[in-house]
Amino acid sequence: MSFLELDDKDVVVFGVSNKKSVGFRTHQVLVEAGARVHWVVRSEGRRDELARFLGPEGPATIEVCDVESPDAVDRVADKLPGRIHGVVHAIAFANYAEGMRPFEKTKREDFAQAMQISCHSLIEIAGALRPRLVDGASVVTISISHLKMAAQNYGYMAPVKAALESSVVFLAKSFSSSPSVRFNAVSPSLLKTRSAAGIPGYADSYLYAEHLTLRGKGVQVEEVANAVAFALSPRSSGINGQSLVVDAGMSVNYFDADVVGAALGGLE
């Protein structure tokens, strides 16, 4: 048995998009640990694309679920294993097609769409899969490390992620018995993913974040995947209703002398 004790366990990963995504890298870690991984992706086109380039490296199954569609989660639940030991919720979306706006100009429809896809979908998934979740199962969602920081180019997604982390707490309470299921968030700082590349000004923010980490190197997707796998495993059984921050020390290093010097120098 592997250290993570995930051998022969069934884990469902919602939100795999490409080989650079957190969902895909988590899949790799779980397979190495002996788990059977089942993917749920947004569209038929995405499923066909992933199946084509993955070949035998792919998951046990790939199902389709557009969480914006009513009853889609209930429908896909019937296609998943009867006993599920873990769930990864790696779904998020914000409409940046019109660029960044002042926060108070956030469109109602954009905020509602982001909330449904990025937050309420976790609640729907938990409810639909409850009869299939074994006692002691673990559900992990992907949040962000800086909920109380006004990152201007992240915009209204930060409040959405705050709602997601609050939902983790309420789900942990709601599932505290019959069966007992744990809910946690893994909350990384800035990552190099294809999805993040669509955020206006993200590249500069990522480079800045690298300077703020204690090691001078940004968080890697593999590091986030490792944290997700740990949170899914029985080895983390005492952790529930929490956010596991993965930021390479960025949040304790805002007054790094070199960064402060560069900032003040730029103001002269």
Side-chain angles (χ1 to χ4, degrees), residues 6 11 26 30 85-88 138 140 182 228-234 236:
L6 290 170
V11 179
T26 299
L30 293 174
H85 302 82
V87 177
V88 179
S138 175
V140 181
R182 295 184 296 119
V228 173
F230 171 70
L232 288 169
S233 78
S236 63

Side-chain angles (χ1 to χ4, degrees), residues 188-237:
S189 56
L190 287 74
L191 298 171
K192 281 185 177 179
T193 64
R194 191 177 299 175
S195 298
I199 300 174
Y202 188 85
D204 287 344
S205 295
Y206 179 85
L207 293 173
Y208 175 66
E210 279 202 313
H211 287 292
L212 280 178
T213 63
L214 291 170
R215 66 190 185 189
K217 177 184 176 183
V219 173
Q220 304 300 298
V221 177
E222 291 84 354
E223 294 175 314
V224 181
N226 289 336
V228 173
F230 171 70
L232 288 169
S233 78
R235 293 289 187 178
S236 63
S237 59

